[in-house]
Amino acid sequence: MKISTAHEPEDRQPETAAGHATRKQRDAEKVGAALDTHRDALKTMFPVPSSRAPRRKRTAAAGTALAALLAAGLWGIDPAYRSEHFVTQIGERSTVELADGSRLVLDTATELTVQWHLRSRRVVLADGRAHFDVAAAIWRPFTVDAGQTQVRVVGTRFDVWRRPDGTSVSVYEGKVAVWRKDRKNAQIVLLPGQQAEVSDVDEAQALSRADIAGDTQGAWKDGRLVFLDTPLTEALAVIQRYHRAPIRLADAQTGRLTVSGVFDSRNTDQLLRLLPGILPLQVERKADGSTELGAR
């Protein structure tokens, strides 16, 4: 299908601000109309979970869609034509299979949106942590937007954990480019066994790289929490993500204790009961269901 546009006179007057806004609105409407017209063909050409077309039919539809997109000028601006939203509750872990062959594992209390674009695959991680096993597609890169943190890959395995003060990215296979949204020229490349910490609050340590310490990062996918001389305050912050009722420390001094061990994230009540056998602590369950940890 060919989409034609009217030619403007060669001696046109300079465009005013109002005229520019009107033209932008017309262009946006044209893009939306073209997407609506070819949405079914786009789903066939760029797979989403609902697409199950036979290969021969898919190839023919792809050719028609590509010709229409080129004629409409949509290929260059990479518009989105479908999005999928996924959420896990506290204590829940979920696996998502995408139609392009990618596999996502969502940790507890995680929210993300998968956006299908013509020339890219994009994920917006609003909260929590996810593991990405990305199917390779050189011409269609896979990106993750986690607030200030930006991640770009072609095909690889990695985690992205978005926290209130920043984001960590851990790579297990392939290569991953990571940068802060406001500092794209300062991006770093992570190799297997490396991780990046991106701070949203500390400008001096905005982006740093280190080796992954043991199995502390990827164990969560198997329902394990691994702590290696971790300050109790940090360990409890991780445990709290899997525990609905509040967990509190009676005093700051108690929070300076360190904990090591492997625990089951699916039974945080038992984990809290085990802590007094590991550290000089007493655990008290309050009437409101909260748990308080203090020195013994």
Side-chain angles (χ1 to χ4, degrees), residues 2-290:
K2 182 177 180 181
I3 299 178
S4 60
T5 57
H7 294 284
E8 297 182 0
E10 294 183 359
D11 58 345
R12 62 182 179 182
Q13 297 298 316
E15 189 175 39
T16 64
H20 178 68
T22 301
R23 181 170 59 81
K24 288 184 65 177
Q25 181 178 355
R26 286 200 305 266
D27 290 344
E29 291 173 351
K30 184 194 303 180
V31 169
L35 285 175
D36 288 339
T37 301
H38 304 294
R39 194 171 300 276
D40 290 340
L42 289 172
K43 291 178 182 179
T44 302
M45 183 179 180
F46 306 100
V48 293
S50 61
S51 177
R52 295 292 184 270
R55 182 176 181 85
R56 183 173 299 175
K57 182 179 179 181
R58 181 181 302 153
T59 301
T64 301
L66 180 58
L69 293 170
L70 291 173
L74 298 181
W75 186 256
I77 60 176
D78 195 26
Y81 64 93
R82 172 76 179 263
S83 67
E84 300 170 274
H85 191 65
F86 302 99
V87 177
T88 54
Q89 304 302 316
I90 294 176
E92 180 186 9
R93 196 169 65 252
S94 177
T95 299
V96 176
E97 301 282 351
L98 300 182
D100 67 349
S102 299
R103 182 173 178 267
L104 279 55
V105 181
L106 279 63
D107 196 8
T108 177
T110 294
E111 179 180 1
L112 62 79
T113 300
V114 179
Q115 299 175 342
W116 300 88
H117 291 245
L118 301 186
R119 295 186 295 106
S120 62
R121 302 162 291 173
R122 306 181 191 180
V123 170
V124 178
L125 180 62
D127 197 14
R129 173 166 53 185
H131 174 77
F132 301 88
D133 189 348
V134 178
I138 295 176
W139 61 274
R140 202 177 185 199
F142 193 103
T143 62
V144 180
D145 181 327
Q148 284 282 19
T149 303
Q150 306 293 296
V151 182
R152 186 181 189 276
V153 304
V154 171
T156 188
R157 292 193 303 113
F158 63 100
D159 289 352
V160 180
W161 184 5
R162 184 173 182 181
R163 302 184 300 271
D165 60 346
T167 300
S168 64
V169 181
S170 304
V171 178
Y172 308 105
E173 183 180 297
K175 293 192 297 184
V176 168
V178 181
W179 66 92
R180 264 186 44 149
K181 188 177 292 184
D182 57 350
R183 303 182 184 184
K184 186 170 183 179
N185 292 334
Q187 66 177 263
I188 61 175
V189 175
L190 299 178
L191 301 176
Q194 295 182 330
Q195 65 180 20
E197 292 291 339
V198 185
S199 175
D200 289 349
V201 296
D202 188 350
E203 293 295 327
Q205 297 293 327
L207 179 60
S208 60
R209 173 171 41 200
D211 292 334
I212 297 175
D215 195 24
T216 57
Q217 296 295 319
W220 65 269
K221 298 189 297 297
D222 301 319
R224 293 180 292 126
L225 301 179
V226 181
F227 301 120
L228 300 174
D229 292 325
T230 305
L232 187 58
T233 51
E234 295 181 17
L236 291 181
V238 173
I239 296 169
Q240 183 69 80
R241 299 184 62 242
Y242 298 85
H243 195 78
R244 291 184 178 277
I247 306 171
R248 293 188 291 268
L249 285 170
D251 57 85
Q253 185 66 30
T254 302
R256 296 190 181 97
L257 297 171
T258 60
V259 59
S260 296
V262 181
F263 304 92
D264 187 348
S265 66
R266 293 161 292 192
N267 195 339
T268 50
D269 284 326
Q270 181 186 50
L271 191 163
L272 293 172
R273 290 195 297 268
L274 289 173
L275 285 179
I278 303 171
L279 300 172
L281 292 173
Q282 59 181 3
V283 177
E284 183 180 357
R285 180 65 64 86
K286 300 294 186 178
D288 62 356
S290 65

